[in-house]
Amino acid sequence: MVKHLPPVVKHLLTLRNPEAWPSPPSQRLNRVFATTLNEAGQRGAENGWLVLSASIRPSSVGHLYRFITRTDPGLPETRRSFTDAVNRAATMREAALKSVIFVGVPRTILSLTGLKDALEDDVYAALRKDSIREASVDNIEATIQRGMGLWKSIYEPHAVKLYNKLGALHPDFIKFIIQAYGTILSPLPRGDLEQGNLTRALGSVVGIATLRAEERVGPQLTSHVFGLLKARYESNLNEEDRFLSSDEGTEWVIRKVDEIIDAVTADEEKIPGKAKL
C-alpha cells in the first residue's frame, strides 16, 4: 500500500495554485451582502438573493451564513433565531448541492465544507441526515421522468435537438445529465415539506450564479438564463419566483451576481501566478 507521495510528486502538487482561494475580507463581504440583501428585500426576493450569494465562491459561503443569521457576523451569541438559522442553512446547503451540476464535485465539496464549518452544533444537528435521493428500482423511472420534465422546461423548443447533440458526444453523457437533473437539479417532489427544497426558478438561479462566476461558459450560461425566464410558465408560482423569472427579475439576478463576484474576487488578481479555478 502506498502511504507517502514521492518527494518530486509532492513538490509538483504544490505548483499551479492547488490551495482554495482564501476568504475575502469580512468588511467587504458585509458591505456587498448588506447592499444586495437590502435590494432583495425591496423586491421580495430574499430567497433568490441567498441562493445566488451561496452559489458564487466556496470561499465566501461560511461568512454568508454568519452574515444572514446574526446581527454581528463575528459574534455567535448574536444569532437571531434558531429556526431561521436552520432554514437558511438548509437552503444554502441545497443550493451548494445543486451547484455540482454546473461546476463539479471539487467546488461543491469546498462549498459544503465551508458551510458545515460555519454552522453551530445545534443547527447542524437539526439538518436532515438521511438521504432521500438514493436511486432504486422503485424510484428510477420517476427520477428520469422528473429529469426529462426539467430538461424540456429549460430547453424547449430545442430540447430534442440538444438531447440528440449531447447524446452524439457520448451515449452515456445525456443519460447521466437527465438522471442528474432528476436527482439533484429538479425540485424535490414533496415541495415545502422537504427541508431546504428549492423551487424550479431557484434552481435556475443556482445555474446562473455558478456559471457566471465560472466564466468562459457563455452558451451554458445563456441556456440557464433562458431557463429562469421560462420558469414563469410553471404552475403555482409564488410571488418571488414570479419576479425572479420576469425580464426585470432575471436582469436583477445577473447584476447582483456580478456585484458579489466583484467583491469576492477583488483580491484574486493580486495573487501571483493566478490560475482560474
Side-chain angles (χ1 to χ4, degrees):
M1 180 178 291
V2 176
K3 294 185 177 180
H4 303 287
L5 291 172
V8 174
V9 173
K10 187 174 182 179
H11 172 68
L12 285 174
L13 295 182
T14 67
L15 307 178
R16 298 186 177 273
N17 302 319
E19 300 298 327
W21 294 114
S23 181
S26 58
Q27 287 185 334
R28 187 195 305 150
L29 287 178
N30 288 340
R31 282 196 301 270
V32 72
F33 287 156
T35 301
T36 52
L37 176 58
N38 181 58
E39 292 185 31
Q42 295 171 13
R43 292 163 174 79
E46 291 93 340
N47 285 327
W49 171 86
L50 182 60
V51 165
L52 71 85
S53 300
S55 303
I56 289 171
R57 273 287 199 276
S59 59
S60 62
V61 169
H63 189 82
L64 174 64
Y65 170 78
R66 291 186 287 269
F67 172 86
I68 197 61
T69 59
R70 302 173 184 175
T71 56
D72 184 334
L75 298 176
E77 61 269 24
T78 66
R79 189 175 73 187
R80 295 185 182 89
S81 157
F82 168 71
T83 301
D84 180 67
V86 172
N87 291 337
R88 302 285 194 178
T91 297
M92 292 177 65
R93 189 169 73 159
E94 187 69 13
L97 178 67
K98 289 185 187 298
S99 73
V100 74
I101 302 293
F102 307 104
V103 292
V105 171
R107 281 224 198 167
T108 301
I109 290 173
L110 293 176
S111 291
L112 289 170
T113 300
L115 175 61
K116 183 177 182 296
D117 288 348
L119 299 179
E120 302 88 352
D121 291 344
D122 58 344
V123 171
Y124 179 70
L127 294 177
R128 175 170 59 83
K129 300 298 186 298
D130 297 327
S131 175
I132 54 176
R133 287 180 162 104
E134 186 172 358
S136 71
V137 294
D138 296 325
N139 64 27
I140 188 63
E141 288 303 321
T143 298
I144 293 171
Q145 248 184 2
R146 199 160 57 243
M148 280 303 303
L150 180 58
W151 178 268
K152 292 176 181 178
S153 173
I154 293 172
Y155 299 112
E156 288 288 16
H158 308 295
V160 173
K161 180 180 179 181
L162 183 59
Y163 183 98
N164 292 335
K165 181 179 180 180
L166 297 184
L169 299 177
H170 191 295
D172 297 331
F173 185 39
I174 188 60
K175 302 296 185 181
F176 164 76
I177 292 174
I178 296 302
Q179 291 181 41
Y181 272 37
T183 305
I184 300 296
L185 190 56
S186 64
L188 292 165
R190 298 203 312 148
D192 291 341
L193 295 176
E194 295 293 359
Q195 188 184 60
N197 201 9
L198 301 189
T199 63
R200 158 75 175 80
L202 291 176
S204 286
V205 171
V206 173
I208 290 171
T210 53
L211 293 170
R212 187 72 164 179
E214 183 71 7
E215 300 182 351
R216 302 184 186 279
V217 285
Q220 291 75 31
L221 173 60
T222 299
S223 291
H224 288 281
V225 169
F226 271 114
L228 179 55
L229 290 166
K230 293 173 187 176
R232 67 183 66 174
Y233 302 122
E234 295 292 306
S235 58
N236 302 317
L237 280 183
N238 60 44
E239 285 304 310
E240 179 174 13
D241 286 357
R242 198 179 306 280
F243 165 72
L244 292 171
S245 61
S246 69
D247 292 3
E248 177 192 355
T250 299
E251 176 187 348
W252 180 82
V253 166
I254 296 171
R255 290 188 182 279
K256 295 312 109 181
V257 168
D258 284 352
E259 284 184 38
I260 296 171
I261 289 174
D262 288 345
V264 170
T265 64
D267 294 331
E268 292 181 8
E269 296 291 345
K270 302 175 185 178
I271 300 175
K274 177 191 174 188
K276 291 290 183 185
L277 287 177

